Amino acid sequence: MHPLVLQYDGDSEEKISKIMTEEIIIAGFGGQGVLSMGKILAYSAIMQDQEVSWMPSYGPEMRGGTANVTVILSSERISSPIINTFDTAIILNQQSLDKFENSVKPGGVLIYDGNGISRHPERRDINIYRIDAASEAAKLGSAKAVNMIVLGGYLKVKPLVELQNVVKGLAESLPQRHHSLIPMNEKAIKRGMEIVNTVHEVG
Amino acid sequence: MKELKLMKGNEAIAEAAIRAGADAYFGYPITPQSEVLEYLMAERPHERTGMIVLQAESEIAAINMVYGGAACGRKVMTSSSSPGISLKQEGLSYIAGSELPCLVVNVVRGGPGLGTIQPAQSDYFQAVKGGGHGDYRLIVLAPASVQEMADFVDLGFELAFRYRNPAMILTDGALGQMMEKVWLKEPKPRMTEYPEWATTGKTPDRERNIITSLELDSGRQEKFNLKLQAKYREMEEKEVRYETIECEDAEYLLVAYGTSARICQKSVQVARENGIKVGLLRPMTLFPFPKKILREMAPKLKGILSVEMSTGQMVEDVMLAVNGLVEVEHYGRMGGIIPAPDEIVSVLEEKFIKQNYYG
């Protein structure tokens, strides 16, 4: 039976000092695997007992246009799944860079795929990393690996989730018939960790 | 067995229905709740539990199939989004008038008319004040997480059968589309025995059961109306559910349900970081509405802000509850726009704290 009254009086001082919350926006073209990257990240965090939320943009813009998803990982109960500033922005096209560059919190992280970008990030109060995942995926012979290469780059910059939990997350989020693809995805993640470059870091 | 999953709110509702031992789901697709029907079709529940899933030819057909199934004492449900729920109102009125249990899910989108497919909370009046014609109420549950989307399915059925009354889960496109961690409950077997009022075929040892909402004798109809009202008063007595968040020392109170309540939880944090003592009252049942707790809290408060993704509907129930004891204001965004946490804090300051500068 569901209780009639729930009461939540905030967290104790001691608990607050240990709270980890990471608010992420992942944005790009529909079909680049933006939503599934978010889903794998969320599943990976569940594997290490964290709270997660995954909030996609939905509607007509999903068909061919831009797609984005807000993912929150936290050691605590997540309040709003919808937010307008982010700790990290993972950006896969120019349109999304223009839209979300200013939404990164000062001192936060912006990771972008430089392929097809003409106006590069300009802010100097955030940490900027570049990962040319689309061209690397072509070299690996799998265009579909783009999102996993980018995920690798993110995990290198912010190692919040352990690689073994990402592999477990992959197993949970992929249907059984695609489990043969897990080693390839793992390889792409590791490659992403190697090729991510620092553009600018805040002192 | 209990299972941990990452699921969309819509999918959680569908899976929870199978696990609640539902006998049938009748539906018709509409954004942003089509995943309920899609998930049920893909999951083939007739192979798991024998549950029937049927895509009807329209929303009206679906609700009347629910009417039929409920008359037979079965656990039946439907789901839709705002325009589709409007189509179901006639059926809902008949179901309430026939005192039948069922579960209806409304994954609300912006209106009026076809409006937008983006989330809104503009169907509050329709859900809590009756919706169709005649003096009736639905039991209205308002989940604020994917976990509650799942939990309230079983709760909805339970309350619907306890009171022989239709129950509604009033949620919105954001909760329907978002994924969160959800603990799925141990599956319940489907019923094998049905309530005594159910039309399951007359046996020689009892009178026949008649399910109808028609009563042409005015005296008897009035008596029936009073019976329904007594039932609603009993729900108000026993079934109010809510959550309080940091209300203990609060000077200002936000009242919000569903997605708005999630945003407001963050607003509470933001406001407290700025030194404003704000709490949140989150109704989990919208009918019955948590009037009593609001009335108790009112004298200690300097202001209440009702936050809704509508032009202001629940705010009327908040005002009725506090009956002038404290100032009540409303803030809402429409058309699929979801207010930001800091935007709500600014509005709270604007409406209650800064007003002294002008006055």
Side-chain angles (χ1 to χ4, degrees), chain B residues 85-227:
Chain B
I85 295 291
S86 288
L87 288 168
K88 292 182 195 290
Q89 292 304 326
E90 181 196 47
L92 271 169
S93 174
Y94 280 57
I95 292 169
S98 305
E99 290 202 274
L100 292 175
C102 69
L103 181 65
V104 178
V105 179
N106 184 0
V107 185
V108 179
R109 57 190 252 183
L114 283 175
T116 165
I117 58 171
Q118 300 300 325
Q121 297 181 312
S122 39
D123 298 355
Y124 178 89
F125 281 150
Q126 185 197 51
V128 307
K129 308 289 179 188
H133 62 280
D135 265 333
Y136 76 93
R137 299 297 182 118
L138 306 175
I139 299 158
V140 184
L141 303 171
S145 62
V146 174
Q147 184 66 55
E148 284 186 347
M149 294 282 258
D151 292 347
F152 286 4
V153 170
D154 192 40
L155 177 64
F157 275 128
E158 202 180 296
L159 294 174
F161 273 83
R162 190 181 307 158
Y163 291 94
R164 278 188 71 180
N165 201 74
M168 175 176 275
I169 293 180
L170 187 71
T171 179
D172 63 68
L175 280 162
Q177 295 296 326
M178 74 183 275
M179 285 202 280
E180 284 186 312
K181 216 158 108 167
V182 53
W183 281 102
L184 296 165
K185 280 188 195 165
E186 188 108 15
K188 276 187 188 173
R190 286 170 55 223
M191 291 183 286
T192 49
E193 279 173 41
Y194 304 100
E196 56 186 17
W197 48 260
T199 51
T200 50
K202 184 191 172 305
T203 47
D205 56 337
R206 64 161 171 86
E207 287 294 302
R208 63 191 178 137
N209 287 334
I210 299 172
I211 299 288
T212 178
S213 64
L214 178 71
E215 178 51 74
L216 294 175
D217 181 292
S218 297
R220 283 206 289 255
Q221 180 61 18
E222 186 184 47
K223 224 170 152 189
F224 175 69
N225 285 130
L226 292 171
K227 182 189 170 199

Side-chain angles (χ1 to χ4, degrees), chain B residues 25-327:
Chain B
Y25 169 95
F26 306 103
Y28 189 80
I30 180 171
T31 306
Q33 66 80 54
S34 296
E35 290 88 354
V36 180
L37 179 56
E38 281 168 13
Y39 183 96
L40 285 170
M41 285 288 180
E43 203 51 40
R44 298 173 166 269
H46 55 280
E47 288 169 12
R48 273 171 65 179
T49 66
M51 176 186 175
I52 289 165
V53 180
L54 194 139
Q55 179 174 335
E57 69 269 33
S58 72
E59 287 88 347
I60 297 170
I63 191 69
N64 283 295
M65 290 173 186
V66 167
Y67 189 8
C72 300
R74 262 55 170 192
K75 253 188 201 179
V76 288
M77 69 180 288
T78 184
S79 69
S80 190
S81 177
S82 309
I85 295 291
S86 288
L87 288 168
K88 292 182 195 290
Q89 292 304 326
E90 181 196 47
L92 271 169
S93 174
Y94 280 57
I95 292 169
S98 305
E99 290 202 274
L100 292 175
C102 69
L103 181 65
V104 178
V105 179
N106 184 0
V107 185
V108 179
R109 57 190 252 183
L114 283 175
T116 165
I117 58 171
Q118 300 300 325
Q121 297 181 312
S122 39
D123 298 355
Y124 178 89
F125 281 150
Q126 185 197 51
V128 307
K129 308 289 179 188
H133 62 280
D135 265 333
Y136 76 93
R137 299 297 182 118
L138 306 175
I139 299 158
V140 184
L141 303 171
S145 62
V146 174
Q147 184 66 55
E148 284 186 347
M149 294 282 258
D151 292 347
F152 286 4
V153 170
D154 192 40
L155 177 64
F157 275 128
E158 202 180 296
L159 294 174
F161 273 83
R162 190 181 307 158
Y163 291 94
R164 278 188 71 180
N165 201 74
M168 175 176 275
I169 293 180
L170 187 71
T171 179
D172 63 68
L175 280 162
Q177 295 296 326
M178 74 183 275
M179 285 202 280
E180 284 186 312
K181 216 158 108 167
V182 53
W183 281 102
L184 296 165
K185 280 188 195 165
E186 188 108 15
K188 276 187 188 173
R190 286 170 55 223
M191 291 183 286
T192 49
E193 279 173 41
Y194 304 100
E196 56 186 17
W197 48 260
T199 51
T200 50
K202 184 191 172 305
T203 47
D205 56 337
R206 64 161 171 86
E207 287 294 302
R208 63 191 178 137
N209 287 334
I210 299 172
I211 299 288
T212 178
S213 64
L214 178 71
E215 178 51 74
L216 294 175
D217 181 292
S218 297
R220 283 206 289 255
Q221 180 61 18
E222 186 184 47
K223 224 170 152 189
F224 175 69
N225 285 130
L226 292 171
K227 182 189 170 199
L228 287 184
Q229 293 304 313
K231 193 160 80 171
Y232 305 146
R233 297 297 87 77
E234 190 187 339
M235 290 174 193
E236 286 181 321
E237 202 57 48
K238 296 179 183 165
E239 306 300 344
V240 172
R241 286 164 172 78
Y242 60 86
E243 180 179 24
T244 57
I245 294 175
E246 308 216 28
C247 285
E248 200 104 300
D249 61 343
E251 295 179 348
Y252 300 93
L253 185 70
L254 301 174
V255 184
Y257 68 94
T259 293
S260 293
R262 292 292 293 273
I263 316 288
C264 283
Q265 238 173 283
K266 184 111 179 175
S267 305
V268 168
Q269 291 169 15
V270 174
R272 282 183 176 265
E273 280 161 20
N274 296 339
I276 313 167
K277 286 182 179 165
V278 179
L280 168 65
L281 177 77
R282 174 173 80 87
M284 289 147 70
T285 51
L286 296 173
F287 185 87
F289 191 72
K291 290 191 263 192
K292 214 173 121 198
I293 179 73
L294 267 167
R295 200 156 41 235
E296 281 168 21
M297 289 167 84
K300 291 182 286 181
L301 296 169
K302 292 181 181 168
I304 298 180
L305 184 66
S306 176
V307 181
E308 307 164 57
M309 279 137 62
S310 77
T311 52
Q313 302 189 12
M314 181 179 69
V315 64
E316 293 190 7
D317 283 334
V318 176
M319 283 174 166
L320 283 171
V322 303
N323 200 17
L325 287 173
V326 58
E327 199 182 334

Side-chain angles (χ1 to χ4, degrees), chain A residues 145-161:
Chain A
V146 172
N147 62 351
M148 290 300 99
I149 294 172
V150 176
L151 180 61
Y154 168 72
L155 293 174
K156 170 80 180 178
V157 173
K158 282 208 163 173
L160 295 171
V161 187

Side-chain angles (χ1 to χ4, degrees), chain A residues 12-43:
Chain A
S12 65
E13 296 285 329
E14 189 195 353
K15 212 169 172 191
I16 286 169
S17 67
K18 288 183 200 148
I19 292 178
M20 181 292 293
T21 298
E22 166 82 345
E23 299 174 330
I24 311 159
I25 179 92
I26 310 172
F29 288 121
Q32 279 180 314
V34 163
L35 299 184
S36 56
M37 190 200 316
K39 190 174 167 184
I40 290 160
L41 189 56
Y43 250 124

Side-chain angles (χ1 to χ4, degrees), chain A residues 33-183:
Chain A
V34 163
L35 299 184
S36 56
M37 190 200 316
K39 190 174 167 184
I40 290 160
L41 189 56
Y43 250 124
S44 312
I46 288 182
M47 295 301 141
Q48 43 189 62
D49 235 9
Q50 288 171 338
E51 299 301 319
V52 299
S53 74
W54 177 96
M55 180 76 225
S57 60
Y58 71 91
E61 62 182 2
M62 276 169 74
R63 296 180 189 104
T66 58
N68 69 69
V69 59
T70 301
V71 178
I72 304 177
L73 318 177
S74 183
S75 55
E76 288 308 296
R77 171 177 166 173
I78 293 168
S79 56
S80 176
I82 300 146
I83 42 183
N84 45 11
T85 57
F86 306 95
D87 298 307
T88 300
I90 301 173
I91 302 294
L92 301 185
N93 66 6
Q94 184 72 59
Q95 232 176 328
S96 304
L97 180 63
D98 296 344
K99 192 169 172 188
F100 293 111
E101 182 177 355
N102 286 328
S103 310
V104 181
K105 295 176 194 170
V109 166
L110 188 152
I111 301 171
Y112 75 107
D113 186 335
N115 294 287
I117 297 289
S118 51
R119 188 199 65 79
H120 291 262
E122 285 153 11
R123 280 178 65 180
R124 280 294 165 265
D125 61 336
I126 58 173
N127 301 292
I128 299 170
Y129 304 88
R130 174 172 170 166
I131 181 162
D132 288 351
S135 46
E136 190 62 28
K139 276 186 224 161
L140 288 178
S142 171
K144 278 191 173 173
V146 172
N147 62 351
M148 290 300 99
I149 294 172
V150 176
L151 180 61
Y154 168 72
L155 293 174
K156 170 80 180 178
V157 173
K158 282 208 163 173
L160 295 171
V161 187
E162 287 172 39
L163 185 59
Q164 55 168 11
N165 288 324
V166 180
V167 176
K168 278 192 212 161
L170 273 166
E172 286 289 330
S173 60
L174 289 174
Q176 196 75 36
R177 64 180 189 280
H178 289 150
H179 278 195
S180 58
L181 300 174
I182 292 174

